[in-house]
Amino acid sequence: MSNIRVRFAPSPTGPLHIGGVRTALYNFLFARKHKGTFILRIEDTDQQRYVPGAEQYIIDSLQWAGLVPDEGPGFGGNFGPYRQSERKEIYKQYAHQLVALGHAYFAFDTPEELDAAREAGGEGFKYNYESRGQLKNSLSLPEAEWKALLEKNENVVIRLKVPENKSIHITDEIRGDVSFSGSELDDKVILKTDGMPTYHLANIVDDHLMEITHVIRGEEWLPSTAHHVLMYEFFGWQAPSFSHLPLILKPTGQGKLSKRDGAKFGFPVFPINWDGSDGDEPYPGFREEGFLPDALLNFLAFLGWNPGNDEEILHKTQLIDLFSLDRIVKSGARFDYDKAKWYNQQYLMAMPNEDIAQLLAPLAMEMNIDANIDKLAHAASMMKERVYFLQDILRTGYYLFNEPHDIDYETFNKKFKPELKSHFLSIADLVAKAGNADRNHFESLVKGYAAEHGLKIGDLFPIFRLSLTGTMQGPDLFDTFAILGGATSSLRIQNLLN
């Protein structure tokens, strides 16, 4: 292992969005590329918005995707606990240290007093160097008064004291040099009234104590990084390297992809099904939609990154070898669901039929379909180039297992020549006697009969297709004879004709 340590730090305030999976993926790829450590940290300091079940959902999603942490809740590690709610006393210690150093202060403003200050200050109001002297805090109040308020412990928070004339510089691995002026920033709350830290303090302290070397996260956190860099400086700690990822945009390219866009555009935006235990509606997942995890990862990797060549199909080991932060783009990446389906189809086509059969078996049992592995593998070989999703092998190709229930009679009436009925029935008899022959035998049998009796293939094949599958769009005709077997194929031909 190298000393490279990266963390994926989601908040369990709801299901993990697909954008979060991409963030986890980039952290995972970077850690594996550099033989480092990939850490899962649960940032559950917002107890008011905490959703029961969301943490397990995050873990289940990562495990399904194959992004298994080296450290984290349930995964072990020497830097735990990995839930921030279990580290409360640690943050309190460091918040008070900043107060003692003169870089933070106690504030006692009630919600009503803050609302009044915002109303008086207008849209541009900030709790900062300009306003802090007129508000209720340990910088503006006499010492005896604020200490009495601190003793009462009502509405007490600790705020970061941002210097007015401080220039804060950040070198972002993706966005280059970014600078902020202290006069632009507000005095963020770093410890709340319930004693829990805000994200700003907690992630700084944890990243330092867990020896995080690289922070790779969404661009929405870039403005807050100024406060984080300030705190690193106040503590005298070495800041990690920062990389802020581009947004994943709606299919229209306008605006950030949201959970509501799934219903609007007709695709999932969560990795696995969410049951709606947050009081919101349930949402479908990519897993249940039929996506293979490696296909989804390949698709997500290219939403904001490219390998610098024309290759599009890159398996996880290849992604690890090629991944680098300098190939991540700054601009947002448009979510293209058709492209995601294309990736899934490519991975499905490349998968061994026997492996597909193993995945299909439980689905087949749910659908009351014959779950014989050999037959499922045969069906996979026939259908996988014709579908996007695993379960569509069974749904689209249901007629490989059950009697076709939706026959295209309009085409049958156009194609069928009544004078050939006796020939169809004769061929049906020959097919029945062939039993469980292979496709080549059925092809030889049908074509041989046609040649012997001077029949045109174009008069026969459409009727056989309609008999066996109900449609003209099915897979190879003689493969269909073979998977159904002679007896079933013969019966279907007779049923349609009679």
Side-chain angles (χ1 to χ4, degrees), residues 412 416-431 449-450 453 455 459-460 463-464 490 493-494 497-498:
F412 175 79
F416 179 58
K417 294 182 178 180
E419 65 271 19
L420 298 182
K421 181 176 180 180
S422 61
H423 289 295
F424 283 114
L425 294 175
S426 295
I427 294 174
D429 287 340
L430 292 174
V431 165
Y449 183 96
H453 293 84
L455 303 176
D459 291 333
L460 302 180
I463 305 307
F464 287 137
S490 176
I493 294 168
Q494 294 176 58
L497 294 175
N498 292 330

PDB file of all heavy atoms in Angstrom, residues 412 416-431 449-450 453 455 459-460 463-464 490 493-494 497-498:
ATOM      1  N   PHE A 412     -49.483 -12.875 -40.955  1.00  0.00           N
ATOM      2  CA  PHE A 412     -49.780 -14.269 -41.305  1.00  0.00           C
ATOM      3  C   PHE A 412     -50.761 -14.333 -42.488  1.00  0.00           C
ATOM      4  O   PHE A 412     -50.558 -15.088 -43.441  1.00  0.00           O
ATOM      5  CB  PHE A 412     -50.367 -14.999 -40.094  1.00  0.00           C
ATOM      6  CG  PHE A 412     -50.818 -16.393 -40.399  1.00  0.00           C
ATOM      7  CD1 PHE A 412     -49.912 -17.442 -40.498  1.00  0.00           C
ATOM      8  CD2 PHE A 412     -52.167 -16.669 -40.610  1.00  0.00           C
ATOM      9  CE1 PHE A 412     -50.332 -18.727 -40.798  1.00  0.00           C
ATOM     10  CE2 PHE A 412     -52.600 -17.954 -40.917  1.00  0.00           C
ATOM     11  CZ  PHE A 412     -51.674 -18.984 -41.005  1.00  0.00           C
ATOM     12  N   PHE A 416     -49.429 -16.264 -45.710  1.00  0.00           N
ATOM     13  CA  PHE A 416     -49.802 -17.680 -45.787  1.00  0.00           C
ATOM     14  C   PHE A 416     -50.514 -18.005 -47.114  1.00  0.00           C
ATOM     15  O   PHE A 416     -51.445 -17.325 -47.525  1.00  0.00           O
ATOM     16  CB  PHE A 416     -50.720 -18.042 -44.619  1.00  0.00           C
ATOM     17  CG  PHE A 416     -51.169 -19.464 -44.625  1.00  0.00           C
ATOM     18  CD1 PHE A 416     -50.250 -20.513 -44.602  1.00  0.00           C
ATOM     19  CD2 PHE A 416     -52.532 -19.793 -44.689  1.00  0.00           C
ATOM     20  CE1 PHE A 416     -50.661 -21.834 -44.614  1.00  0.00           C
ATOM     21  CE2 PHE A 416     -52.951 -21.113 -44.694  1.00  0.00           C
ATOM     22  CZ  PHE A 416     -52.009 -22.134 -44.665  1.00  0.00           C
ATOM     23  N   LYS A 417     -50.050 -19.093 -47.742  1.00  0.00           N
ATOM     24  CA  LYS A 417     -50.676 -19.611 -48.964  1.00  0.00           C
ATOM     25  C   LYS A 417     -51.375 -20.919 -48.610  1.00  0.00           C
ATOM     26  O   LYS A 417     -50.708 -21.930 -48.336  1.00  0.00           O
ATOM     27  CB  LYS A 417     -49.618 -19.833 -50.037  1.00  0.00           C
ATOM     28  CG  LYS A 417     -48.969 -18.532 -50.524  1.00  0.00           C
ATOM     29  CD  LYS A 417     -47.948 -18.795 -51.624  1.00  0.00           C
ATOM     30  CE  LYS A 417     -47.350 -17.481 -52.129  1.00  0.00           C
ATOM     31  NZ  LYS A 417     -46.352 -17.703 -53.210  1.00  0.00           N
ATOM     32  N   PRO A 418     -52.710 -20.899 -48.597  1.00  0.00           N
ATOM     33  CA  PRO A 418     -53.457 -22.094 -48.159  1.00  0.00           C
ATOM     34  C   PRO A 418     -53.068 -23.360 -48.899  1.00  0.00           C
ATOM     35  O   PRO A 418     -53.109 -24.457 -48.322  1.00  0.00           O
ATOM     36  CB  PRO A 418     -54.911 -21.708 -48.438  1.00  0.00           C
ATOM     37  CG  PRO A 418     -54.914 -20.207 -48.365  1.00  0.00           C
ATOM     38  CD  PRO A 418     -53.601 -19.778 -48.940  1.00  0.00           C
ATOM     39  N   GLU A 419     -52.677 -23.235 -50.153  1.00  0.00           N
ATOM     40  CA  GLU A 419     -52.341 -24.427 -50.928  1.00  0.00           C
ATOM     41  C   GLU A 419     -51.079 -25.130 -50.404  1.00  0.00           C
ATOM     42  O   GLU A 419     -50.781 -26.271 -50.784  1.00  0.00           O
ATOM     43  CB  GLU A 419     -52.178 -24.074 -52.410  1.00  0.00           C
ATOM     44  CG  GLU A 419     -51.014 -23.155 -52.740  1.00  0.00           C
ATOM     45  CD  GLU A 419     -51.379 -21.677 -52.679  1.00  0.00           C
ATOM     46  OE1 GLU A 419     -52.413 -21.336 -52.045  1.00  0.00           O
ATOM     47  OE2 GLU A 419     -50.617 -20.860 -53.243  1.00  0.00           O
ATOM     48  N   LEU A 420     -50.329 -24.432 -49.520  1.00  0.00           N
ATOM     49  CA  LEU A 420     -49.101 -25.036 -48.976  1.00  0.00           C
ATOM     50  C   LEU A 420     -49.321 -25.664 -47.601  1.00  0.00           C
ATOM     51  O   LEU A 420     -48.375 -26.187 -47.002  1.00  0.00           O
ATOM     52  CB  LEU A 420     -48.001 -23.976 -48.884  1.00  0.00           C
ATOM     53  CG  LEU A 420     -47.549 -23.323 -50.194  1.00  0.00           C
ATOM     54  CD1 LEU A 420     -46.423 -22.332 -49.919  1.00  0.00           C
ATOM     55  CD2 LEU A 420     -47.091 -24.374 -51.194  1.00  0.00           C
ATOM     56  N   LYS A 421     -50.567 -25.643 -47.132  1.00  0.00           N
ATOM     57  CA  LYS A 421     -50.817 -26.116 -45.767  1.00  0.00           C
ATOM     58  C   LYS A 421     -50.342 -27.545 -45.559  1.00  0.00           C
ATOM     59  O   LYS A 421     -49.724 -27.864 -44.527  1.00  0.00           O
ATOM     60  CB  LYS A 421     -52.307 -25.996 -45.441  1.00  0.00           C
ATOM     61  CG  LYS A 421     -52.641 -26.448 -44.023  1.00  0.00           C
ATOM     62  CD  LYS A 421     -54.120 -26.229 -43.689  1.00  0.00           C
ATOM     63  CE  LYS A 421     -54.414 -26.698 -42.271  1.00  0.00           C
ATOM     64  NZ  LYS A 421     -55.831 -26.503 -41.892  1.00  0.00           N
ATOM     65  N   SER A 422     -50.595 -28.406 -46.512  1.00  0.00           N
ATOM     66  CA  SER A 422     -50.192 -29.813 -46.345  1.00  0.00           C
ATOM     67  C   SER A 422     -48.677 -29.933 -46.215  1.00  0.00           C
ATOM     68  O   SER A 422     -48.170 -30.794 -45.476  1.00  0.00           O
ATOM     69  CB  SER A 422     -50.696 -30.655 -47.521  1.00  0.00           C
ATOM     70  OG  SER A 422     -50.141 -30.198 -48.747  1.00  0.00           O
ATOM     71  N   HIS A 423     -47.935 -29.103 -46.946  1.00  0.00           N
ATOM     72  CA  HIS A 423     -46.473 -29.140 -46.833  1.00  0.00           C
ATOM     73  C   HIS A 423     -46.014 -28.691 -45.439  1.00  0.00           C
ATOM     74  O   HIS A 423     -45.088 -29.281 -44.859  1.00  0.00           O
ATOM     75  CB  HIS A 423     -45.842 -28.248 -47.902  1.00  0.00           C
ATOM     76  CG  HIS A 423     -45.976 -28.805 -49.299  1.00  0.00           C
ATOM     77  ND1 HIS A 423     -45.376 -29.968 -49.684  1.00  0.00           N
ATOM     78  CD2 HIS A 423     -46.640 -28.332 -50.393  1.00  0.00           C
ATOM     79  CE1 HIS A 423     -45.657 -30.219 -50.965  1.00  0.00           C
ATOM     80  NE2 HIS A 423     -46.439 -29.230 -51.410  1.00  0.00           N
ATOM     81  N   PHE A 424     -46.658 -27.637 -44.908  1.00  0.00           N
ATOM     82  CA  PHE A 424     -46.298 -27.190 -43.558  1.00  0.00           C
ATOM     83  C   PHE A 424     -46.525 -28.303 -42.543  1.00  0.00           C
ATOM     84  O   PHE A 424     -45.690 -28.539 -41.657  1.00  0.00           O
ATOM     85  CB  PHE A 424     -47.127 -25.956 -43.166  1.00  0.00           C
ATOM     86  CG  PHE A 424     -46.658 -24.677 -43.806  1.00  0.00           C
ATOM     87  CD1 PHE A 424     -47.453 -24.002 -44.723  1.00  0.00           C
ATOM     88  CD2 PHE A 424     -45.412 -24.143 -43.493  1.00  0.00           C
ATOM     89  CE1 PHE A 424     -47.019 -22.820 -45.310  1.00  0.00           C
ATOM     90  CE2 PHE A 424     -44.981 -22.962 -44.084  1.00  0.00           C
ATOM     91  CZ  PHE A 424     -45.781 -22.304 -44.996  1.00  0.00           C
ATOM     92  N   LEU A 425     -47.652 -29.009 -42.683  1.00  0.00           N
ATOM     93  CA  LEU A 425     -47.954 -30.066 -41.735  1.00  0.00           C
ATOM     94  C   LEU A 425     -46.993 -31.241 -41.901  1.00  0.00           C
ATOM     95  O   LEU A 425     -46.609 -31.885 -40.907  1.00  0.00           O
ATOM     96  CB  LEU A 425     -49.402 -30.526 -41.910  1.00  0.00           C
ATOM     97  CG  LEU A 425     -50.465 -29.469 -41.554  1.00  0.00           C
ATOM     98  CD1 LEU A 425     -51.874 -29.970 -41.875  1.00  0.00           C
ATOM     99  CD2 LEU A 425     -50.356 -29.094 -40.081  1.00  0.00           C
ATOM    100  N   SER A 426     -46.571 -31.512 -43.141  1.00  0.00           N
ATOM    101  CA  SER A 426     -45.584 -32.580 -43.369  1.00  0.00           C
ATOM    102  C   SER A 426     -44.244 -32.224 -42.729  1.00  0.00           C
ATOM    103  O   SER A 426     -43.586 -33.075 -42.099  1.00  0.00           O
ATOM    104  CB  SER A 426     -45.406 -32.813 -44.877  1.00  0.00           C
ATOM    105  OG  SER A 426     -46.594 -33.293 -45.458  1.00  0.00           O
ATOM    106  N   ILE A 427     -43.853 -30.963 -42.904  1.00  0.00           N
ATOM    107  CA  ILE A 427     -42.590 -30.515 -42.280  1.00  0.00           C
ATOM    108  C   ILE A 427     -42.717 -30.578 -40.760  1.00  0.00           C
ATOM    109  O   ILE A 427     -41.774 -30.976 -40.059  1.00  0.00           O
ATOM    110  CB  ILE A 427     -42.224 -29.090 -42.748  1.00  0.00           C
ATOM    111  CG1 ILE A 427     -41.905 -29.092 -44.243  1.00  0.00           C
ATOM    112  CG2 ILE A 427     -41.045 -28.540 -41.943  1.00  0.00           C
ATOM    113  CD1 ILE A 427     -41.678 -27.711 -44.834  1.00  0.00           C
ATOM    114  N   ALA A 428     -43.906 -30.233 -40.243  1.00  0.00           N
ATOM    115  CA  ALA A 428     -44.123 -30.304 -38.795  1.00  0.00           C
ATOM    116  C   ALA A 428     -43.936 -31.725 -38.291  1.00  0.00           C
ATOM    117  O   ALA A 428     -43.358 -31.941 -37.213  1.00  0.00           O
ATOM    118  CB  ALA A 428     -45.519 -29.789 -38.450  1.00  0.00           C
ATOM    119  N   ASP A 429     -44.370 -32.705 -39.043  1.00  0.00           N
ATOM    120  CA  ASP A 429     -44.177 -34.103 -38.657  1.00  0.00           C
ATOM    121  C   ASP A 429     -42.701 -34.461 -38.629  1.00  0.00           C
ATOM    122  O   ASP A 429     -42.221 -35.147 -37.711  1.00  0.00           O
ATOM    123  CB  ASP A 429     -44.917 -35.028 -39.619  1.00  0.00           C
ATOM    124  CG  ASP A 429     -46.430 -34.984 -39.424  1.00  0.00           C
ATOM    125  OD1 ASP A 429     -46.860 -34.554 -38.334  1.00  0.00           O
ATOM    126  OD2 ASP A 429     -47.163 -35.351 -40.357  1.00  0.00           O
ATOM    127  N   LEU A 430     -41.954 -34.005 -39.646  1.00  0.00           N
ATOM    128  CA  LEU A 430     -40.521 -34.288 -39.703  1.00  0.00           C
ATOM    129  C   LEU A 430     -39.799 -33.625 -38.534  1.00  0.00           C
ATOM    130  O   LEU A 430     -38.880 -34.196 -37.931  1.00  0.00           O
ATOM    131  CB  LEU A 430     -39.943 -33.773 -41.025  1.00  0.00           C
ATOM    132  CG  LEU A 430     -40.395 -34.499 -42.306  1.00  0.00           C
ATOM    133  CD1 LEU A 430     -39.844 -33.774 -43.536  1.00  0.00           C
ATOM    134  CD2 LEU A 430     -39.906 -35.946 -42.282  1.00  0.00           C
ATOM    135  N   VAL A 431     -40.228 -32.394 -38.220  1.00  0.00           N
ATOM    136  CA  VAL A 431     -39.616 -31.649 -37.100  1.00  0.00           C
ATOM    137  C   VAL A 431     -39.860 -32.396 -35.786  1.00  0.00           C
ATOM    138  O   VAL A 431     -38.954 -32.527 -34.948  1.00  0.00           O
ATOM    139  CB  VAL A 431     -40.193 -30.209 -37.040  1.00  0.00           C
ATOM    140  CG1 VAL A 431     -39.870 -29.543 -35.702  1.00  0.00           C
ATOM    141  CG2 VAL A 431     -39.658 -29.376 -38.199  1.00  0.00           C
ATOM    142  N   TYR A 449     -36.403 -30.484 -47.478  1.00  0.00           N
ATOM    143  CA  TYR A 449     -37.795 -30.731 -47.877  1.00  0.00           C
ATOM    144  C   TYR A 449     -38.227 -29.716 -48.936  1.00  0.00           C
ATOM    145  O   TYR A 449     -38.873 -30.073 -49.938  1.00  0.00           O
ATOM    146  CB  TYR A 449     -38.717 -30.657 -46.659  1.00  0.00           C
ATOM    147  CG  TYR A 449     -40.164 -30.972 -46.984  1.00  0.00           C
ATOM    148  CD1 TYR A 449     -40.681 -32.250 -46.809  1.00  0.00           C
ATOM    149  CD2 TYR A 449     -41.030 -29.986 -47.486  1.00  0.00           C
ATOM    150  CE1 TYR A 449     -42.012 -32.556 -47.113  1.00  0.00           C
ATOM    151  CE2 TYR A 449     -42.349 -30.276 -47.809  1.00  0.00           C
ATOM    152  CZ  TYR A 449     -42.832 -31.559 -47.615  1.00  0.00           C
ATOM    153  OH  TYR A 449     -44.145 -31.844 -47.935  1.00  0.00           O
ATOM    154  N   ALA A 450     -37.876 -28.439 -48.728  1.00  0.00           N
ATOM    155  CA  ALA A 450     -38.264 -27.391 -49.676  1.00  0.00           C
ATOM    156  C   ALA A 450     -37.665 -27.660 -51.051  1.00  0.00           C
ATOM    157  O   ALA A 450     -38.339 -27.529 -52.092  1.00  0.00           O
ATOM    158  CB  ALA A 450     -37.822 -26.028 -49.152  1.00  0.00           C
ATOM    159  N   HIS A 453     -39.381 -30.596 -52.884  1.00  0.00           N
ATOM    160  CA  HIS A 453     -40.752 -30.355 -53.361  1.00  0.00           C
ATOM    161  C   HIS A 453     -40.877 -29.043 -54.134  1.00  0.00           C
ATOM    162  O   HIS A 453     -41.995 -28.608 -54.443  1.00  0.00           O
ATOM    163  CB  HIS A 453     -41.733 -30.342 -52.177  1.00  0.00           C
ATOM    164  CG  HIS A 453     -41.868 -31.670 -51.506  1.00  0.00           C
ATOM    165  ND1 HIS A 453     -41.002 -32.131 -50.530  1.00  0.00           N
ATOM    166  CD2 HIS A 453     -42.773 -32.684 -51.690  1.00  0.00           C
ATOM    167  CE1 HIS A 453     -41.353 -33.325 -50.133  1.00  0.00           C
ATOM    168  NE2 HIS A 453     -42.430 -33.709 -50.823  1.00  0.00           N
ATOM    169  N   LEU A 455     -40.313 -25.924 -53.299  1.00  0.00           N
ATOM    170  CA  LEU A 455     -40.937 -24.826 -52.557  1.00  0.00           C
ATOM    171  C   LEU A 455     -39.955 -23.670 -52.376  1.00  0.00           C
ATOM    172  O   LEU A 455     -38.743 -23.869 -52.259  1.00  0.00           O
ATOM    173  CB  LEU A 455     -41.399 -25.320 -51.177  1.00  0.00           C
ATOM    174  CG  LEU A 455     -42.381 -26.506 -51.175  1.00  0.00           C
ATOM    175  CD1 LEU A 455     -42.666 -26.933 -49.743  1.00  0.00           C
ATOM    176  CD2 LEU A 455     -43.672 -26.135 -51.897  1.00  0.00           C
ATOM    177  N   ASP A 459     -41.669 -18.496 -48.956  1.00  0.00           N
ATOM    178  CA  ASP A 459     -43.051 -18.843 -48.631  1.00  0.00           C
ATOM    179  C   ASP A 459     -43.160 -19.596 -47.301  1.00  0.00           C
ATOM    180  O   ASP A 459     -44.238 -19.642 -46.698  1.00  0.00           O
ATOM    181  CB  ASP A 459     -43.655 -19.728 -49.736  1.00  0.00           C
ATOM    182  CG  ASP A 459     -43.872 -18.963 -51.036  1.00  0.00           C
ATOM    183  OD1 ASP A 459     -44.052 -17.726 -50.957  1.00  0.00           O
ATOM    184  OD2 ASP A 459     -43.850 -19.599 -52.104  1.00  0.00           O
ATOM    185  N   LEU A 460     -42.032 -20.188 -46.875  1.00  0.00           N
ATOM    186  CA  LEU A 460     -42.058 -21.039 -45.690  1.00  0.00           C
ATOM    187  C   LEU A 460     -41.623 -20.314 -44.408  1.00  0.00           C
ATOM    188  O   LEU A 460     -42.290 -20.398 -43.366  1.00  0.00           O
ATOM    189  CB  LEU A 460     -41.142 -22.254 -45.904  1.00  0.00           C
ATOM    190  CG  LEU A 460     -41.442 -23.168 -47.093  1.00  0.00           C
ATOM    191  CD1 LEU A 460     -40.419 -24.308 -47.130  1.00  0.00           C
ATOM    192  CD2 LEU A 460     -42.856 -23.719 -47.017  1.00  0.00           C
ATOM    193  N   ILE A 463     -43.974 -18.086 -42.098  1.00  0.00           N
ATOM    194  CA  ILE A 463     -45.002 -18.843 -41.373  1.00  0.00           C
ATOM    195  C   ILE A 463     -44.385 -19.591 -40.203  1.00  0.00           C
ATOM    196  O   ILE A 463     -44.968 -19.654 -39.112  1.00  0.00           O
ATOM    197  CB  ILE A 463     -45.723 -19.812 -42.334  1.00  0.00           C
ATOM    198  CG1 ILE A 463     -46.284 -19.045 -43.541  1.00  0.00           C
ATOM    199  CG2 ILE A 463     -46.832 -20.567 -41.591  1.00  0.00           C
ATOM    200  CD1 ILE A 463     -47.165 -17.864 -43.172  1.00  0.00           C
ATOM    201  N   PHE A 464     -43.195 -20.152 -40.413  1.00  0.00           N
ATOM    202  CA  PHE A 464     -42.524 -20.832 -39.313  1.00  0.00           C
ATOM    203  C   PHE A 464     -42.179 -19.841 -38.189  1.00  0.00           C
ATOM    204  O   PHE A 464     -42.340 -20.136 -37.009  1.00  0.00           O
ATOM    205  CB  PHE A 464     -41.256 -21.543 -39.806  1.00  0.00           C
ATOM    206  CG  PHE A 464     -41.536 -22.777 -40.621  1.00  0.00           C
ATOM    207  CD1 PHE A 464     -40.824 -23.037 -41.789  1.00  0.00           C
ATOM    208  CD2 PHE A 464     -42.514 -23.683 -40.229  1.00  0.00           C
ATOM    209  CE1 PHE A 464     -41.081 -24.181 -42.542  1.00  0.00           C
ATOM    210  CE2 PHE A 464     -42.779 -24.827 -40.973  1.00  0.00           C
ATOM    211  CZ  PHE A 464     -42.057 -25.072 -42.141  1.00  0.00           C
ATOM    212  N   SER A 490     -43.176 -28.450 -33.589  1.00  0.00           N
ATOM    213  CA  SER A 490     -44.214 -29.060 -34.428  1.00  0.00           C
ATOM    214  C   SER A 490     -45.605 -28.682 -33.942  1.00  0.00           C
ATOM    215  O   SER A 490     -46.502 -28.334 -34.739  1.00  0.00           O
ATOM    216  CB  SER A 490     -44.049 -30.584 -34.416  1.00  0.00           C
ATOM    217  OG  SER A 490     -45.096 -31.197 -35.147  1.00  0.00           O
ATOM    218  N   ILE A 493     -46.528 -25.081 -34.874  1.00  0.00           N
ATOM    219  CA  ILE A 493     -46.867 -24.950 -36.294  1.00  0.00           C
ATOM    220  C   ILE A 493     -48.296 -25.453 -36.548  1.00  0.00           C
ATOM    221  O   ILE A 493     -49.083 -24.775 -37.189  1.00  0.00           O
ATOM    222  CB  ILE A 493     -45.865 -25.757 -37.154  1.00  0.00           C
ATOM    223  CG1 ILE A 493     -44.454 -25.152 -37.053  1.00  0.00           C
ATOM    224  CG2 ILE A 493     -46.321 -25.764 -38.630  1.00  0.00           C
ATOM    225  CD1 ILE A 493     -43.357 -26.044 -37.639  1.00  0.00           C
ATOM    226  N   GLN A 494     -48.616 -26.585 -35.970  1.00  0.00           N
ATOM    227  CA  GLN A 494     -49.956 -27.155 -36.144  1.00  0.00           C
ATOM    228  C   GLN A 494     -51.019 -26.259 -35.528  1.00  0.00           C
ATOM    229  O   GLN A 494     -52.109 -26.065 -36.084  1.00  0.00           O
ATOM    230  CB  GLN A 494     -50.011 -28.553 -35.541  1.00  0.00           C
ATOM    231  CG  GLN A 494     -49.140 -29.571 -36.238  1.00  0.00           C
ATOM    232  CD  GLN A 494     -49.154 -30.922 -35.560  1.00  0.00           C
ATOM    233  OE1 GLN A 494     -50.218 -31.529 -35.412  1.00  0.00           O
ATOM    234  NE2 GLN A 494     -47.990 -31.378 -35.114  1.00  0.00           N
ATOM    235  N   LEU A 497     -51.714 -23.235 -37.812  1.00  0.00           N
ATOM    236  CA  LEU A 497     -52.379 -23.595 -39.069  1.00  0.00           C
ATOM    237  C   LEU A 497     -53.794 -24.088 -38.845  1.00  0.00           C
ATOM    238  O   LEU A 497     -54.685 -23.901 -39.691  1.00  0.00           O
ATOM    239  CB  LEU A 497     -51.549 -24.671 -39.798  1.00  0.00           C
ATOM    240  CG  LEU A 497     -50.175 -24.227 -40.282  1.00  0.00           C
ATOM    241  CD1 LEU A 497     -49.441 -25.413 -40.867  1.00  0.00           C
ATOM    242  CD2 LEU A 497     -50.298 -23.123 -41.315  1.00  0.00           C
ATOM    243  N   ASN A 498     -54.049 -24.726 -37.732  1.00  0.00           N
ATOM    244  CA  ASN A 498     -55.360 -25.353 -37.475  1.00  0.00           C
ATOM    245  C   ASN A 498     -56.316 -24.439 -36.705  1.00  0.00           C
ATOM    246  O   ASN A 498     -57.413 -24.845 -36.407  1.00  0.00           O
ATOM    247  CB  ASN A 498     -55.184 -26.674 -36.713  1.00  0.00           C
ATOM    248  CG  ASN A 498     -54.506 -27.702 -37.600  1.00  0.00           C
ATOM    249  OD1 ASN A 498     -54.662 -27.677 -38.826  1.00  0.00           O
ATOM    250  ND2 ASN A 498     -53.754 -28.609 -36.987  1.00  0.00           N
TER     251      ASN A 498
END
